[in-house]
Amino acid sequence: MADGTKKPPVAAQRAGRVVAVRGPVLDIEVEGGLPEINEAVLVNAGATTIVAEVQAHLGETLVRAIALEPTQGLWRGAPVTLTGNPVMAPVGETVLGRLVNMLGDPADNGEPFGPETPRRPIHRPAPTIARQTAATDIFETGIKVIDLLAPLAQGGKAAMFGGAGVGKTVLVMELIHAMVSGYEGISVFAGVGERCREGHEMLNEMKSSGVLDQTVLVYGQMNEPPGTRWRVPLTAMTVAEYFRDEKARNVLLLMDNVFRFIQAGSEVSGLLGRMPSRVGYQPTLETEVADLQERIASVGNASVTAIEAVYVPADDFTDPAVGAIASHVDSMVVLSRQLAAEGIYPAIDPIATTSVLLDPLVIGQEHADVAGRVREVIEHYRELRDVIALLGVEELGAEERRAVGRARRLQRFLTQPFFVAAAFTGAPGRSVSVADTVAGCRAILDGECDDWEEGSLYMIGNLEEAREKEMAARKKAGKAAA
């Protein structure tokens, strides 16, 4: 070194010991130079080794780390090894068809990954703007209300926003069913802070549909430490980036639930003693969301398409976490508790739901015009609901009564039985092409269905099915009258 002193040996730099344990928070005294922020350290806890991640420098020889595994039984003075790297996640063909935890260890009782399995750091920068390519190819889902009002982009980001129990997970599972069957690419599912039961159901769903061999499931469930739940999306993103960048394959990235990622970050922030920000969230909220969301991008000929479920706490769409996520997505699908209460499923709000792709240059003039008219008619109906509740629909003028009837028929036409819910509803699922959806909505707007029963349009596929249902109902009514 310049002052003539010897540089400490590598072994001395790479060791330390635990000096304090407060739940998942570990204070570690290190020998030699301080490790980098986000560097992984290995704590020897006797029979097990606990992986932790450095989060703060407290002094010249002291760092604070968050454990990514339970710390029961850990003692002060436990030896620590500094790895010099972030957490390294397994990637490549060997992880396909597997369920892994946040550290990349198998969680499906399968064979562990060998040393030949490539590994990549879970922390890496987003691709530069110069490398990214724009996303304009439409991802057809077969779900009428989404394809009509919030078309998804291949290589884009779509988020399903909704409170508790309005159907986010069912909608995401239906999108998986719709896309995976006709999707030529890799699927990566990140289960962030979700229930163990949902992970089991997802694994069985993938097995039964025969797509597990092209899917990677990464889970950090709600019974795991906050540091684990906080880093699950990064592990899933690392797997997706490997296939995008090194194999040039399209990737479908599914996350349920991104709010739990923010919630885990808030827990970690509180454990580290940081001053809370607005509504009690962590002061680093926007940075953490941006670090994750900006990595979801198309590069060259390969894309990462993200579909994310987002829990809305107390149905408050002004919540800072919801706003932070919404600012990064291309398509916003908003689920409404009121529509769910009325039996409109999927309970997607046609007014609040939107997409940057809802543009005539992308989807065509006819589609854009019909979508605009659908919104206009349903919005007008909402304005009249208070009048109808007070005075009844009979007090409206003929033109307004006609508009109300069409709005109600549109709402029912945009309902749809789901494949993944067939076991509960008893109705087989339906997938409808964009052309059939647009044609059906246009026919209702033009008055072709004004004399139909509203029930004929409820929970069906295309308009032809509704027509058959209406004819059957009329025939039955005619026989009853005779």
Side-chain angles (χ1 to χ4, degrees):
M1 295 177 76
D3 58 2
T5 58
K6 277 191 174 182
K7 189 174 180 181
V10 174
Q13 286 184 314
R14 309 265 43 94
R17 65 186 183 89
V18 174
V19 294
V21 182
R22 290 182 299 280
V25 180
L26 309 178
D27 287 352
I28 300 170
E29 189 175 54
V30 297
E31 300 170 9
L34 289 172
E36 298 284 331
I37 298 295
N38 292 330
E39 183 176 319
V41 298
L42 305 177
V43 184
N44 186 340
T48 61
T49 300
I50 296 169
V51 180
E53 198 176 73
V54 175
Q55 289 299 317
H57 294 161
L58 303 181
E60 292 184 5
T61 61
L62 197 62
V63 298
R64 182 162 288 167
I66 286 287
L68 304 178
E69 297 176 276
T71 56
Q72 286 93 338
L74 188 60
W75 65 93
R76 285 191 299 171
V80 175
T81 304
L82 280 64
T83 63
N85 295 304
V87 172
M88 305 292 281
V91 295
E93 305 291 334
T94 50
V95 298
L96 289 174
R98 302 297 300 273
L99 188 150
V100 300
N101 63 17
M102 176 256 138
L103 296 170
D105 299 326
D108 55 4
N109 298 323
E111 289 292 317
F113 301 116
E116 72 283 353
T117 303
R119 291 179 177 265
R120 298 291 181 271
I122 65 169
H123 296 280
R124 59 181 293 187
T128 61
I129 296 293
R131 290 181 61 212
Q132 294 184 26
T133 51
T136 55
D137 290 341
I138 299 297
F139 220 155
E140 204 170 310
T141 66
I143 300 173
K144 290 181 285 192
V145 64
I146 291 180
D147 286 342
L148 179 72
L149 299 173
L152 309 186
Q154 184 162 328
K157 295 187 278 277
M160 318 292 157
F161 293 90
V166 294
K168 296 182 300 299
T169 299
V170 173
L171 187 57
V172 168
M173 287 181 72
E174 183 70 10
L175 284 166
I176 292 170
H177 184 278
M179 292 181 172
V180 167
S181 54
Y183 181 71
E184 299 298 324
I186 301 294
S187 299
V188 180
F189 183 87
V192 188
E194 288 299 287
R195 302 166 187 84
C196 306
R197 169 184 57 78
E198 290 175 341
H200 188 67
E201 286 175 0
M202 180 65 67
L203 186 61
N204 289 339
E205 175 76 20
M206 293 289 185
K207 280 180 181 174
S208 62
S209 57
V211 296
L212 187 61
D213 60 337
Q214 293 297 300
T215 305
V216 184
L217 302 169
V218 185
Y219 268 87
Q221 293 159 160
M222 58 169 57
N223 62 328
E224 299 192 52
T228 306
R229 289 179 269 123
W230 191 35
R231 294 310 191 200
V232 165
L234 302 189
T235 301
M237 193 66 232
T238 303
V239 175
E241 286 170 332
Y242 173 85
F243 286 108
R244 179 195 68 191
D245 297 340
E246 300 186 36
K247 298 294 182 182
R249 298 190 66 178
N250 291 335
V251 181
L252 182 61
L253 177 66
L254 303 133
M255 287 194 268
D256 187 10
N257 187 304
V258 183
F259 176 79
R260 307 288 179 208
F261 158 71
I262 292 175
Q263 197 174 40
S266 180
E267 289 178 51
V268 168
S269 182
L271 289 166
L272 293 172
R274 293 178 185 149
M275 186 73 74
S277 183
R278 199 156 55 107
V279 198
Y281 284 108
Q282 62 269 45
T284 52
L285 169 67
E286 299 282 351
T287 306
E288 288 172 14
V289 173
D291 285 346
L292 172 65
Q293 299 287 349
E294 293 305 309
R295 286 170 68 176
I296 303 168
S298 300
V299 174
N301 295 322
S303 64
V304 174
T305 305
I307 294 171
E308 309 167 9
V310 184
Y311 168 68
V312 179
D315 291 341
D316 179 14
F317 283 86
T318 64
D319 190 87
V322 176
I325 297 166
S327 64
H328 290 276
V329 299
D330 307 314
S331 302
M332 265 185 74
V333 178
V334 177
L335 290 110
S336 160
R337 190 171 300 283
Q338 184 179 351
L339 289 174
E342 292 174 12
I344 304 293
Y345 287 104
I348 293 172
D349 186 337
I351 308 303
T353 294
T354 187
S355 169
V356 296
L357 297 181
L358 207 60
D359 185 307
L361 297 175
V362 178
I363 58 173
Q365 191 65 49
E366 185 189 15
H367 184 161
D369 289 345
V370 168
R373 287 175 67 196
V374 166
R375 280 213 175 108
E376 193 179 318
V377 168
I378 292 176
E379 180 66 28
H380 185 48
Y381 168 50
R382 288 190 180 177
E383 290 168 0
L384 294 171
R385 288 185 75 158
D386 287 344
V387 176
I388 294 168
L390 287 169
L391 304 173
V393 73
E394 296 80 13
E395 295 300 314
L396 299 176
E399 194 63 38
E400 287 185 329
R401 276 206 306 273
R402 194 178 300 117
V404 166
R406 288 175 186 174
R408 289 177 62 85
R409 285 172 176 80
L410 279 169
Q411 278 190 333
R412 278 145 186 79
F413 176 66
L414 292 176
T415 62
Q416 189 169 342
F418 280 175
F419 290 95
V420 296
F424 307 104
T425 61
R430 301 283 192 281
S431 180
V432 184
S433 69
V434 176
D436 283 349
T437 300
V438 172
C441 289
R442 189 178 63 246
I444 295 169
L445 289 164
D446 291 345
E448 290 181 29
C449 310
D450 283 358
D451 59 343
W452 290 16
E453 288 289 332
E454 290 179 3
S456 298
L457 295 155
Y458 182 66
M459 284 293 170
I460 47 95
N462 57 26
L463 197 66
E464 200 52 48
E465 188 181 340
R467 183 174 281 110
E468 290 170 10
K469 200 172 171 183
E470 175 68 15
M471 287 173 67
R474 287 184 181 186
K475 195 178 289 185
K476 189 176 178 182
K479 282 182 181 176

